[in-house]
Amino acid sequence: MGPIGGKSKLKEAAVGFALGAVGGCILGATEDPVDKIVSVMTTSGSLKPVMDEVRAVGALGLGTLIGATALTTAMTSVIAGVILAAVVASMFVAMRSCTGSHEHSVGLWASAGFAGAIGTTLSGASFGIVVELIVKNYGMVGLLWALSFFTVLKPPLRFVFKVLWKQGEICCTPGSEVRSREREHIEITDWQQRQRVTLQIEQRILSLEKGGSTSGIEGRTMWATQQKEREELERRKLENEEAEMAQRSIQDWINTVMVKHVDFLAFSGIPMAIVAIVTSGFGLFGYGGHQSVFLVLLALVGLLGYFLLKSSDFKFWMLVGCMGMFAIFVIGMLTLHAGQVVVTTAVKMRAAGRNLSREQISTAMNYQSSLEAVKTAFFGAKLCQLGLGATVGGALVRRSAGDVKVIAGAASVAGSLLAGLEVLAPALGDGGTAGALLGVVGATGVSVGATAATAGRWSSWPGTLGTIGGLLIGALGMGKWHIVNIGLQLPVAYVFAMINPF
């Protein structure tokens, strides 16, 4: 018994390490492309439209505005992918007429996962292109108006989505109709069989009353045939009922996912938008560099966070909305701090006898603030994409979609998208490539989240430790040992993978 148990634990550790390595390697593979696009976005030429607008909204307003835009874009692209995946999965379930469980269907999860990854990547690329065009042509004021309009537009879109979803459920029911016809056919066959048995019994009774006789062998053969027909009919009835229950179960789960994510889309960006609008508004009225703006921002974040977290009906969008709001608060503070560092450096240089003009100091402040705003906002959006993807991956593993299928499938799709972006990058431009890369990070998060959820499902510690070890080694090895970046990403992915928003 001991050796067998030892072999089992060793096998769990080996399988866990392999699964962890798959999730970790695809996470590490995103590091280099993301670093490249951030380097392109933070060149002086690309930063010029942002630098020109620092005076308009102030450093704090710039940080919160770019941070809110980046996180809103990341959240929206992930939700777009989830909605597309839910639509494809629902159509798959509705159209499929064969029996069996949908939960373990490779076709269902593969088609939904591929659609979700493509939807997230395409929507991310589209948002990236739009944001880039707005900043270049209309500056931060245009971005502020676009963010405000989009935030106001999302709650009505929630109502439209739900109406369309209900209509789609009504229209796409051929699978249910097939099973309904199968059930009616079984009932008719059952009734006919009962009638036939009743008629045979009546005929035998009449024959006996008339003094006739029946062959024992013939009777036993007839009864055996009828018993087989009866068992076959019961088997078909049981299979049809199980298939109907499986279809209802997975469809109800898809409906729940759809409703929760549409609510998330509608409301999660509101706290971030409010903070960005208030701080940018102070900047537009000439108070961007005043200390009172910081106090107002701190009070606003505290009040919004308090009322959301104290809600008696606490929802997933409230949690992520609070996290996003605190994230843009940090981005805004880092942006402000970057400009203040320039002033401190200028004071030290003046004390050393090297005087800088006011214009040089102002230019350096604008550059450092813009650089910090773009870099931290993009990293925050990356963490957001990874976390939301991990939420989906963890939920799929808990739904028994198959840990190997989810981990390997999401990693394969993310790897294919990364390779495709290498070819499409010139056509997409900087903004489109950045948005598409964030979409790929969302697909990567599904694999990493599924890996994290799998680590906690092993029956022994060796399996768990092997999975975690594979995840760490794969991420660090493929990520060129970017310990700080990956060290921040993995805990975020783990926390979101353990959250059950449904």
Side-chain angles (χ1 to χ4, degrees), residues 305-376:
Y306 174 79
F307 285 117
L308 287 174
L309 294 173
K310 288 290 288 183
S311 173
S312 58
D313 186 19
F314 191 71
K315 300 179 184 296
F316 179 61
W317 73 260
M318 295 180 180
L319 172 64
V320 182
C322 283
M323 295 174 73
M325 181 177 61
F326 288 123
I328 69 165
F329 172 77
V330 172
I331 294 169
M333 292 307 301
L334 289 173
T335 304
L336 182 63
H337 177 70
Q340 291 174 342
V341 168
V342 174
V343 176
T344 304
T345 304
V347 171
K348 291 180 179 179
M349 292 175 66
R350 182 174 297 175
R354 294 176 58 191
N355 291 329
L356 296 177
S357 67
R358 186 180 296 273
E359 184 178 349
Q360 288 175 319
I361 295 174
S362 178
T363 302
M365 287 180 64
N366 293 344
Y367 175 76
Q368 288 298 328
S369 295
S370 302
L371 179 65
E372 193 67 29
V374 172
K375 288 175 64 176
T376 53

Coordinates of all heavy atoms in Angstrom, one line a residue, residues 305-376:
G305 N -15.2 54.1 -1.8 CA -14.8 52.7 -1.3 C -15.6 52.3 -0.1 O -16.1 51.1 -0.1
Y306 N -15.9 53.2 0.8 CA -16.7 52.9 2.0 C -18.1 52.5 1.6 O -18.6 51.5 2.1 CB -16.7 54.1 2.9 CG -17.6 53.9 4.1 CD1 -17.1 53.2 5.2 CD2 -18.9 54.5 4.2 CE1 -18.0 53.0 6.3 CE2 -19.7 54.3 5.3 CZ -19.2 53.5 6.3 OH -20.0 53.4 7.4
F307 N -18.8 53.3 0.8 CA -20.2 53.0 0.4 C -20.3 51.7 -0.4 O -21.2 50.9 -0.2 CB -20.8 54.1 -0.3 CG -21.1 55.3 0.6 CD1 -20.5 56.5 0.4 CD2 -22.0 55.2 1.6 CE1 -20.8 57.6 1.2 CE2 -22.3 56.3 2.4 CZ -21.7 57.5 2.2
L308 N -19.3 51.4 -1.3 CA -19.4 50.2 -2.1 C -19.1 49.0 -1.2 O -19.8 48.0 -1.3 CB -18.4 50.3 -3.2 CG -18.7 51.2 -4.4 CD1 -17.5 51.3 -5.3 CD2 -19.9 50.7 -5.1
L309 N -18.1 49.0 -0.4 CA -17.7 47.9 0.5 C -18.8 47.6 1.6 O -18.9 46.5 2.1 CB -16.4 48.1 1.1 CG -15.2 48.1 0.1 CD1 -13.9 48.5 0.8 CD2 -15.1 46.7 -0.6
K310 N -19.5 48.7 2.0 CA -20.5 48.5 3.0 C -21.9 48.1 2.5 O -22.8 47.9 3.2 CB -20.7 49.8 3.8 CG -19.5 50.2 4.7 CD -19.4 49.2 5.9 CE -20.6 49.5 6.9 NZ -20.5 48.7 8.1
S311 N -22.0 47.9 1.2 CA -23.2 47.5 0.6 C -23.7 46.2 1.1 O -23.0 45.2 1.2 CB -23.1 47.4 -1.0 OG -24.3 46.9 -1.6
S312 N -25.0 46.1 1.4 CA -25.6 44.9 2.0 C -25.7 43.8 0.9 O -25.7 42.6 1.2 CB -27.0 45.1 2.5 OG -27.8 45.7 1.5
D313 N -25.7 44.2 -0.4 CA -25.8 43.3 -1.5 C -24.5 43.4 -2.3 O -24.5 44.0 -3.4 CB -27.0 43.6 -2.4 CG -27.2 42.5 -3.5 OD1 -26.6 41.4 -3.4 OD2 -27.9 42.8 -4.5
F314 N -23.4 43.0 -1.7 CA -22.1 43.2 -2.3 C -21.9 42.3 -3.5 O -22.2 41.1 -3.5 CB -21.0 42.9 -1.3 CG -19.6 43.3 -1.7 CD1 -19.3 44.6 -1.8 CD2 -18.7 42.3 -2.1 CE1 -18.0 45.0 -2.2 CE2 -17.4 42.7 -2.5 CZ -17.1 44.1 -2.5
K315 N -21.5 42.9 -4.6 CA -21.4 42.1 -5.9 C -19.9 42.2 -6.4 O -19.1 42.9 -5.9 CB -22.3 42.8 -6.9 CG -23.8 42.7 -6.6 CD -24.6 43.4 -7.6 CE -26.1 43.4 -7.2 NZ -26.7 42.1 -7.1
F316 N -19.7 41.3 -7.4 CA -18.3 41.2 -8.0 C -17.9 42.5 -8.6 O -16.7 42.9 -8.4 CB -18.3 40.1 -9.0 CG -17.0 39.9 -9.6 CD1 -15.9 39.5 -8.9 CD2 -16.8 40.0 -11.0 CE1 -14.6 39.3 -9.5 CE2 -15.6 39.8 -11.6 CZ -14.5 39.5 -10.9
W317 N -18.8 43.2 -9.3 CA -18.4 44.5 -9.9 C -18.0 45.5 -8.9 O -17.2 46.4 -9.2 CB -19.5 45.0 -10.8 CG -20.7 45.6 -10.2 CD1 -21.9 44.9 -10.0 CD2 -20.9 46.9 -9.7 NE1 -22.8 45.8 -9.3 CE2 -22.2 47.0 -9.1 CE3 -20.0 48.0 -9.6 CZ2 -22.7 48.2 -8.6 CZ3 -20.5 49.2 -9.0 CH2 -21.8 49.2 -8.5
M318 N -18.6 45.5 -7.7 CA -18.3 46.4 -6.7 C -16.8 46.2 -6.2 O -16.1 47.1 -6.0 CB -19.2 46.3 -5.5 CG -20.7 46.7 -5.8 SD -21.7 46.5 -4.4 CE -23.3 47.0 -5.0
L319 N -16.5 44.9 -6.0 CA -15.1 44.6 -5.6 C -14.1 45.0 -6.6 O -13.1 45.7 -6.3 CB -15.0 43.0 -5.4 CG -13.6 42.5 -5.1 CD1 -13.1 43.0 -3.8 CD2 -13.6 41.0 -5.2
V320 N -14.3 44.7 -7.9 CA -13.3 45.1 -8.9 C -13.4 46.6 -9.2 O -12.3 47.2 -9.5 CB -13.6 44.3 -10.2 CG1 -12.6 44.6 -11.3 CG2 -13.6 42.8 -10.0
G321 N -14.6 47.2 -9.0 CA -14.6 48.6 -9.2 C -13.8 49.3 -8.1 O -13.1 50.3 -8.4
C322 N -13.9 48.8 -6.9 CA -13.1 49.4 -5.8 C -11.6 49.2 -6.1 O -10.8 50.1 -5.9 CB -13.4 48.8 -4.5 SG -15.0 49.4 -3.7
M323 N -11.2 48.0 -6.5 CA -9.8 47.7 -6.8 C -9.3 48.6 -7.9 O -8.2 49.1 -7.8 CB -9.7 46.2 -7.1 CG -10.0 45.3 -6.0 SD -9.9 43.6 -6.4 CE -8.2 43.3 -6.6
G324 N -10.1 48.8 -8.9 CA -9.7 49.7 -10.0 C -9.6 51.1 -9.6 O -8.7 51.8 -10.0
M325 N -10.5 51.5 -8.7 CA -10.4 52.9 -8.2 C -9.2 53.2 -7.4 O -8.5 54.2 -7.6 CB -11.7 53.2 -7.4 CG -11.8 54.6 -6.8 SD -13.3 54.9 -5.9 CE -13.1 53.7 -4.6
F326 N -8.8 52.2 -6.5 CA -7.6 52.3 -5.8 C -6.4 52.3 -6.7 O -5.4 52.9 -6.4 CB -7.5 51.2 -4.7 CG -8.5 51.4 -3.6 CD1 -9.4 50.5 -3.2 CD2 -8.5 52.6 -2.8 CE1 -10.3 50.7 -2.2 CE2 -9.3 52.8 -1.8 CZ -10.3 51.8 -1.5
A327 N -6.5 51.5 -7.8 CA -5.4 51.4 -8.7 C -5.1 52.7 -9.4 O -4.0 53.1 -9.5 CB -5.6 50.3 -9.7
I328 N -6.2 53.4 -9.8 CA -5.9 54.7 -10.5 C -5.5 55.7 -9.5 O -4.8 56.7 -9.9 CB -7.2 55.1 -11.4 CG1 -8.3 55.5 -10.5 CG2 -7.6 54.1 -12.4 CD1 -9.4 56.3 -11.2
F329 N -5.9 55.6 -8.3 CA -5.4 56.5 -7.2 C -3.9 56.3 -7.1 O -3.1 57.3 -7.1 CB -6.1 56.2 -5.9 CG -5.5 56.9 -4.7 CD1 -5.8 58.3 -4.5 CD2 -4.6 56.3 -3.8 CE1 -5.2 59.0 -3.5 CE2 -4.1 57.0 -2.8 CZ -4.4 58.3 -2.6
V330 N -3.4 55.1 -7.1 CA -2.0 54.9 -7.1 C -1.3 55.4 -8.3 O -0.2 56.0 -8.3 CB -1.7 53.4 -6.9 CG1 -0.2 53.1 -7.0 CG2 -2.2 52.9 -5.6
I331 N -1.9 55.2 -9.5 CA -1.3 55.7 -10.8 C -1.2 57.2 -10.7 O -0.2 57.8 -11.1 CB -2.2 55.2 -12.0 CG1 -2.1 53.7 -12.1 CG2 -1.7 55.8 -13.3 CD1 -3.1 53.1 -13.1
G332 N -2.3 57.8 -10.3 CA -2.3 59.3 -10.2 C -1.2 59.8 -9.2 O -0.5 60.8 -9.5
M333 N -1.0 59.1 -8.1 CA 0.0 59.5 -7.1 C 1.4 59.3 -7.7 O 2.3 60.1 -7.5 CB -0.1 58.7 -5.8 CG -1.4 59.1 -5.1 SD -1.6 60.8 -4.7 CE -0.1 61.2 -3.8
L334 N 1.6 58.2 -8.4 CA 2.9 58.0 -9.0 C 3.2 59.0 -10.1 O 4.4 59.4 -10.3 CB 3.0 56.5 -9.6 CG 3.0 55.4 -8.6 CD1 2.9 54.1 -9.3 CD2 4.3 55.5 -7.8
T335 N 2.2 59.4 -10.9 CA 2.4 60.4 -11.9 C 2.8 61.7 -11.3 O 3.7 62.4 -11.7 CB 1.1 60.6 -12.7 OG1 0.7 59.3 -13.2 CG2 1.3 61.6 -13.8
L336 N 2.1 62.1 -10.2 CA 2.4 63.4 -9.5 C 3.8 63.3 -8.9 O 4.6 64.3 -9.0 CB 1.4 63.6 -8.4 CG 1.5 64.9 -7.6 CD1 1.3 66.1 -8.4 CD2 0.5 64.9 -6.4
H337 N 4.1 62.1 -8.3 CA 5.4 62.0 -7.7 C 6.6 62.1 -8.7 O 7.6 62.7 -8.4 CB 5.5 60.6 -7.0 CG 6.8 60.4 -6.3 ND1 7.3 61.0 -5.2 CD2 7.8 59.5 -6.7 CE1 8.5 60.6 -4.9 NE2 8.8 59.6 -5.8
A338 N 6.4 61.6 -9.9 CA 7.4 61.6 -10.9 C 7.8 63.1 -11.3 O 8.9 63.4 -11.5 CB 6.9 60.9 -12.2
G339 N 6.7 63.9 -11.4 CA 7.0 65.3 -11.6 C 7.7 66.0 -10.5 O 8.6 66.9 -10.7
Q340 N 7.3 65.7 -9.2 CA 8.0 66.3 -8.1 C 9.4 65.8 -7.9 O 10.3 66.6 -7.4 CB 7.2 65.9 -6.8 CG 5.8 66.5 -6.7 CD 5.0 66.0 -5.6 OE1 5.3 65.0 -5.0 NE2 3.9 66.8 -5.2
V341 N 9.8 64.6 -8.4 CA 11.1 64.2 -8.3 C 12.0 65.1 -9.2 O 13.2 65.4 -8.9 CB 11.2 62.7 -8.8 CG1 12.7 62.3 -9.1 CG2 10.6 61.8 -7.8
V342 N 11.5 65.5 -10.4 CA 12.2 66.4 -11.2 C 12.5 67.7 -10.5 O 13.6 68.3 -10.6 CB 11.4 66.7 -12.5 CG1 12.1 67.7 -13.4 CG2 11.3 65.4 -13.3
V343 N 11.5 68.2 -9.8 CA 11.7 69.5 -9.1 C 12.8 69.3 -8.0 O 13.7 70.2 -7.8 CB 10.4 70.0 -8.4 CG1 10.6 71.2 -7.6 CG2 9.4 70.2 -9.5
T344 N 12.7 68.2 -7.3 CA 13.7 67.9 -6.3 C 15.1 67.8 -6.9 O 16.1 68.4 -6.3 CB 13.4 66.6 -5.5 OG1 12.1 66.7 -5.0 CG2 14.4 66.3 -4.4
T345 N 15.2 67.2 -8.0 CA 16.5 67.0 -8.7 C 17.0 68.4 -9.1 O 18.2 68.7 -9.0 CB 16.4 66.1 -9.9 OG1 15.9 64.8 -9.5 CG2 17.7 65.9 -10.6
A346 N 16.1 69.2 -9.6 CA 16.5 70.6 -10.1 C 17.1 71.4 -8.9 O 18.0 72.2 -9.1 CB 15.4 71.3 -10.7
V347 N 16.4 71.3 -7.7 CA 16.9 72.0 -6.6 C 18.3 71.6 -6.2 O 19.2 72.4 -5.8 CB 15.9 71.8 -5.4 CG1 16.5 72.4 -4.1 CG2 14.6 72.5 -5.7
K348 N 18.5 70.2 -6.2 CA 19.9 69.7 -5.9 C 20.9 70.2 -6.9 O 22.0 70.5 -6.5 CB 19.8 68.2 -5.8 CG 19.0 67.6 -4.7 CD 19.0 66.1 -4.7 CE 18.2 65.5 -3.6 NZ 18.2 64.0 -3.6
M349 N 20.5 70.2 -8.2 CA 21.4 70.7 -9.2 C 21.8 72.2 -9.0 O 22.9 72.6 -9.2 CB 20.9 70.4 -10.6 CG 20.8 69.0 -11.0 SD 19.9 68.7 -12.5 CE 21.1 69.4 -13.7
R350 N 20.8 73.0 -8.6 CA 21.0 74.4 -8.4 C 21.9 74.6 -7.2 O 22.8 75.5 -7.2 CB 19.7 75.1 -8.1 CG 19.8 76.6 -7.9 CD 18.4 77.2 -7.8 NE 17.7 77.1 -9.1 CZ 16.4 77.5 -9.2 NH1 15.7 78.0 -8.2 NH2 15.8 77.3 -10.4
A351 N 21.8 73.8 -6.2 CA 22.7 73.9 -5.0 C 24.1 73.5 -5.4 O 25.1 74.0 -4.8 CB 22.2 73.0 -3.9
A352 N 24.2 72.7 -6.4 CA 25.6 72.3 -6.9 C 26.1 73.2 -7.9 O 27.2 73.0 -8.5 CB 25.5 70.9 -7.5
G353 N 25.4 74.3 -8.3 CA 25.9 75.3 -9.2 C 25.4 75.1 -10.6 O 25.9 75.9 -11.5
R354 N 24.5 74.2 -10.9 CA 24.0 74.0 -12.2 C 22.5 74.4 -12.3 O 21.7 73.7 -11.8 CB 24.1 72.5 -12.7 CG 25.6 72.0 -12.8 CD 25.6 70.5 -13.1 NE 24.8 70.3 -14.3 CZ 24.5 69.0 -14.7 NH1 24.8 68.0 -14.0 NH2 23.9 68.9 -15.9
N355 N 22.3 75.6 -12.9 CA 21.0 76.2 -12.9 C 20.2 75.7 -14.2 O 20.8 75.8 -15.3 CB 21.0 77.7 -12.8 CG 21.5 78.2 -11.5 OD1 21.2 77.5 -10.5 ND2 22.1 79.3 -11.4
L356 N 19.0 75.3 -14.0 CA 18.1 74.9 -15.1 C 17.0 76.0 -15.2 O 16.6 76.5 -14.2 CB 17.5 73.6 -14.9 CG 18.4 72.4 -14.9 CD1 17.6 71.1 -14.6 CD2 19.2 72.2 -16.2
S357 N 16.7 76.3 -16.5 CA 15.6 77.3 -16.7 C 14.3 76.7 -16.3 O 14.1 75.5 -16.2 CB 15.6 77.7 -18.1 OG 15.2 76.7 -19.0
R358 N 13.3 77.6 -16.1 CA 12.0 77.2 -15.7 C 11.4 76.4 -16.8 O 10.7 75.4 -16.5 CB 11.1 78.5 -15.4 CG 9.7 78.1 -14.9 CD 9.0 79.4 -14.7 NE 9.6 80.2 -13.6 CZ 9.3 80.1 -12.3 NH1 8.5 79.2 -11.9 NH2 9.9 80.9 -11.5
E359 N 11.7 76.7 -18.0 CA 11.1 76.0 -19.2 C 11.7 74.5 -19.2 O 11.0 73.6 -19.5 CB 11.4 76.7 -20.5 CG 10.8 76.0 -21.7 CD 11.1 76.8 -23.0 OE1 11.6 77.9 -22.9 OE2 10.8 76.2 -24.0
Q360 N 13.0 74.4 -18.9 CA 13.6 73.1 -18.9 C 13.0 72.2 -17.8 O 12.7 71.0 -18.0 CB 15.1 73.2 -18.8 CG 15.8 73.7 -20.0 CD 17.3 73.9 -19.7 OE1 17.7 74.4 -18.6 NE2 18.2 73.6 -20.7
I361 N 12.8 72.8 -16.7 CA 12.2 72.0 -15.5 C 10.8 71.6 -15.9 O 10.4 70.5 -15.6 CB 12.3 72.9 -14.2 CG1 13.7 73.1 -13.8 CG2 11.5 72.2 -13.1 CD1 13.9 74.1 -12.7
S362 N 10.0 72.6 -16.5 CA 8.7 72.3 -16.8 C 8.6 71.1 -17.8 O 7.7 70.2 -17.7 CB 8.0 73.5 -17.3 OG 6.6 73.2 -17.7
T363 N 9.4 71.2 -18.8 CA 9.5 70.1 -19.9 C 9.8 68.8 -19.3 O 9.2 67.8 -19.6 CB 10.5 70.5 -21.0 OG1 10.1 71.8 -21.5 CG2 10.5 69.5 -22.1
A364 N 10.8 68.8 -18.4 CA 11.2 67.5 -17.8 C 10.1 67.0 -16.9 O 9.9 65.8 -16.8 CB 12.5 67.8 -16.9
M365 N 9.4 67.9 -16.2 CA 8.3 67.4 -15.3 C 7.2 66.8 -16.2 O 6.7 65.7 -15.8 CB 7.8 68.6 -14.5 CG 8.6 69.1 -13.4 SD 7.9 70.5 -12.5 CE 6.4 69.8 -11.9
N366 N 6.9 67.5 -17.3 CA 5.8 66.9 -18.1 C 6.2 65.6 -18.7 O 5.4 64.7 -18.8 CB 5.5 67.9 -19.3 CG 4.9 69.2 -18.8 OD1 4.4 69.3 -17.6 ND2 4.9 70.2 -19.6
Y367 N 7.5 65.5 -19.1 CA 7.9 64.2 -19.7 C 7.9 63.1 -18.7 O 7.4 62.0 -18.9 CB 9.4 64.4 -20.2 CG 10.0 63.1 -20.7 CD1 9.6 62.5 -21.9 CD2 10.9 62.4 -19.9 CE1 10.1 61.3 -22.4 CE2 11.4 61.2 -20.4 CZ 11.0 60.6 -21.6 OH 11.5 59.4 -22.0
Q368 N 8.4 63.3 -17.5 CA 8.5 62.3 -16.4 C 7.1 61.9 -16.0 O 6.8 60.7 -15.8 CB 9.3 62.7 -15.2 CG 10.8 62.8 -15.5 CD 11.4 61.4 -15.8 OE1 10.9 60.4 -15.3 NE2 12.4 61.4 -16.7
S369 N 6.2 62.9 -15.9 CA 4.8 62.6 -15.5 C 4.1 61.8 -16.5 O 3.4 60.8 -16.2 CB 4.0 63.9 -15.2 OG 4.6 64.6 -14.1
S370 N 4.3 62.1 -17.8 CA 3.6 61.4 -18.9 C 4.2 60.0 -19.0 O 3.4 59.0 -19.2 CB 3.9 62.1 -20.2 OG 3.4 63.4 -20.2
L371 N 5.5 59.9 -18.8 CA 6.1 58.5 -18.9 C 5.6 57.6 -17.8 O 5.2 56.5 -18.1 CB 7.7 58.7 -18.8 CG 8.5 57.4 -18.8 CD1 8.4 56.7 -20.1 CD2 9.9 57.7 -18.4
E372 N 5.5 58.2 -16.6 CA 5.0 57.4 -15.5 C 3.6 57.0 -15.6 O 3.2 55.9 -15.3 CB 5.3 58.1 -14.2 CG 5.1 57.3 -12.9 CD 6.2 56.2 -12.8 OE1 7.3 56.4 -13.3 OE2 5.9 55.2 -12.2
A373 N 2.8 58.0 -16.1 CA 1.4 57.7 -16.3 C 1.1 56.6 -17.3 O 0.3 55.7 -17.1 CB 0.7 59.0 -16.8
V374 N 1.8 56.6 -18.4 CA 1.6 55.6 -19.5 C 2.1 54.2 -19.0 O 1.4 53.2 -19.2 CB 2.3 56.0 -20.8 CG1 2.3 54.9 -21.8 CG2 1.7 57.3 -21.4
K375 N 3.3 54.2 -18.4 CA 3.9 52.9 -18.0 C 3.0 52.3 -16.9 O 2.7 51.1 -16.9 CB 5.3 53.1 -17.5 CG 6.3 53.4 -18.6 CD 7.7 53.7 -18.0 CE 8.3 52.5 -17.3 NZ 9.6 52.8 -16.9
T376 N 2.7 53.0 -15.8 CA 1.9 52.4 -14.7 C 0.5 52.1 -15.1 O -0.1 51.1 -14.7 CB 1.9 53.4 -13.5 OG1 1.4 54.7 -13.9 CG2 3.3 53.5 -12.9

